[in-house]
Amino acid sequence: MDYKLLAVDIDGTLVSSQYTLTKSVKRALAEIKNKGVFLTLATGRFYGSASAIAKEVGINVPMIANDGAQIQDVYTGELIHFRPLDIEIAREIVKNLGDYPLELQVFLKNCKIFGGRNYRMVQLKKFLRRRRILNFRGVYNYLRDFGAGPVINAGSNMGVLKYITEPPVKLVLSGKPEVMEEFRRVLEERFSGMVSTTSAIKNYMDILAPGVSKAYGLEILTRYLDISRNQIVAVGDNYNDLEMIEYAGLGVAMGNAPDAVKEKADFITDSNDNDGLVKVISVFFNGISGTKLKSAGIEHSI
């Protein structure tokens, strides 16, 4: 197959567990772009958090951000597609949070609303819990991507309501597993068919407009680029990558992906800490033969 688009998740796929890009990954991506292949990132991250790394790897088509709800040119700022949550549904979900002890973030097109007093302090505490495993570059990348950017501190989850004055791209909840599961049941009972949910991080839940996923974003992008889904290679590592892995002509799971994701993939590559993405490019864009798949660290999963 003559693949024309490589769609890559960021966390757990493109970057290592230290939040760094290896030289091998950068070189491999540059090589396929020189061959005329389209490159995009398909991420659950907030657009502002993902745009810096998108520019660093030099994507050459619009980026899929917010799990497919926002497709935007990172160089010109042109908004290609935008499908937010209905504003009244978003407000009702926040009201239903009530006294649930869950952390809330509301992603808008250009900023975040945080249901707490100090978003950056919360991010700093999360960073400090894992600082020993990050090198200097990883520290910089983490703070740039997750600590910077425009944020409104609402003081409390209910305080968020007065700042939701436009349809949000998505709501992000996090907390203890048992509390998350209890609130998931609330969503299913009261908002069935009104929202979609997914997850990219353990004990987190993203709430989006119905039907929105990375696969949805890829479908929009294929029409924009005038290519078919069979010409896409999609690579990811987590549950919010499932739909796009199944949608693409070739869906690849990282070696660090959960078993449920690997089971849906056409191929399984190495981990993000062992240049799994480079091996995907070597096999499917640089013509390594099928007999060399295992030596390249890739397994057929069908």
Side-chain angles (χ1 to χ4, degrees), residues 65-70 81-87 89-90 93 107 167-172 187 191-198 206-214 216-217 243:
N66 288 307
D67 291 310
Q70 187 170 348
H81 186 78
F82 187 63
R83 188 177 174 191
L85 274 163
D86 178 90
I87 189 170
I89 290 174
I93 291 172
F107 287 22
V169 190
K170 68 177 181 179
L171 309 182
V172 180
L187 286 176
F191 299 95
S192 177
M194 302 179 192
V195 298
S196 296
T197 62
T198 190
D206 296 358
I207 305 172
L208 302 132
V212 171
S213 67
K214 292 186 183 183
Y216 169 83
E243 289 93 341

Side-chain angles (χ1 to χ4, degrees), residues 78-191:
E78 179 187 2
L79 191 63
I80 307 302
H81 186 78
F82 187 63
R83 188 177 174 191
L85 274 163
D86 178 90
I87 189 170
E88 292 306 321
I89 290 174
R91 290 176 62 84
E92 283 302 311
I93 291 172
V94 173
K95 290 175 184 177
N96 274 267
L97 270 174
D99 295 326
Y100 284 94
L102 294 172
E103 182 183 283
L104 170 65
Q105 296 179 54
V106 179
F107 287 22
L108 303 179
K109 191 185 301 181
N110 297 310
C111 75
K112 294 180 184 180
I113 308 169
F114 177 59
R117 296 181 182 277
N118 194 323
Y119 172 80
R120 289 186 174 84
M121 182 59 68
V122 170
Q123 291 303 315
L124 181 60
K125 287 179 179 178
K126 290 178 181 178
F127 159 72
L128 290 174
R129 285 198 294 268
R130 61 174 301 157
R131 69 190 187 281
R132 291 190 179 121
I133 68 170
L134 297 182
N135 59 28
F136 177 81
R137 184 65 193 183
V139 169
Y140 172 82
N141 290 344
Y142 184 92
L143 295 177
R144 175 197 67 187
D145 294 345
F146 298 102
V151 178
I152 298 169
N153 293 304
S156 68
N157 287 347
M158 292 305 101
V160 164
L161 288 169
K162 70 178 180 181
Y163 296 105
I164 302 180
T165 57
E166 63 181 82
V169 190
K170 68 177 181 179
L171 309 182
V172 180
L173 299 176
S174 61
K176 294 181 178 179
E178 60 273 19
V179 182
M180 292 287 288
E181 186 56 35
E182 186 177 345
F183 192 73
R184 187 187 298 278
R185 289 195 291 269
V186 171
L187 286 176
E188 291 172 351
E189 291 169 4
R190 302 181 189 179
F191 299 95

